[in-house]
Amino acid sequence: MIHKLFTSPINLIKKVGEHVKEEVDKEWYDLEHIQKKIIQLQMMYELEEISEEAFEQQEEELMLRYEMAKKREMEQWEEMTKRYE
């Protein structure tokens, strides 16, 4: 009983941390999510909701994130295929 009193808060913090990590990974490494952000950004620019300067800056950031995500995906794929060789 006492053990649960001490470990429950720790387990809760761990679960919250894992959820936060999943959301951050989705934001930074999910290719589909990044593609949607790029399309949204292009639409905002075409509708003149953002300036050309803001568009170019955000587009560059999203493209870098896309490249990082693609590289990470390829590394994970290579790692998986090595396991089955």
Side-chain angles (χ1 to χ4, degrees):
M1 177 78 175
I2 294 176
H3 177 69
K4 285 187 178 184
L5 288 174
F6 290 108
T7 59
S8 291
I10 294 170
N11 290 335
L12 179 62
I13 291 170
K14 183 179 175 185
K15 286 182 182 182
V16 169
E18 289 170 355
H19 182 70
V20 169
K21 183 188 180 314
E22 287 173 11
E23 290 299 314
V24 169
D25 283 350
K26 180 180 178 184
E27 180 73 25
W28 279 93
Y29 298 112
D30 181 32
L31 292 170
E32 185 177 332
H33 180 76
I34 297 169
Q35 289 170 338
K36 286 178 182 177
K37 298 281 263 186
I38 291 170
I39 292 168
Q40 181 183 29
L41 179 66
Q42 290 172 335
M43 290 172 54
M44 289 174 63
Y45 176 68
E46 289 175 7
L47 294 171
E48 298 179 357
E49 294 178 4
I50 59 171
S51 68
E52 184 175 354
E53 183 180 324
F55 168 76
E56 289 174 355
Q57 180 183 6
Q58 291 177 41
E59 181 186 41
E60 183 178 347
E61 177 188 318
L62 287 169
M63 294 305 290
L64 288 172
R65 283 175 45 196
Y66 185 86
E67 289 175 24
M68 286 181 0
K70 195 65 174 170
K71 182 179 177 181
R72 184 176 188 223
E73 180 183 74
M74 293 301 294
E75 288 170 354
Q76 289 173 342
W77 176 256
E78 288 173 4
E79 187 177 310
M80 279 181 28
T81 56
K82 285 180 185 178
R83 289 182 194 166
Y84 297 106
E85 290 181 348

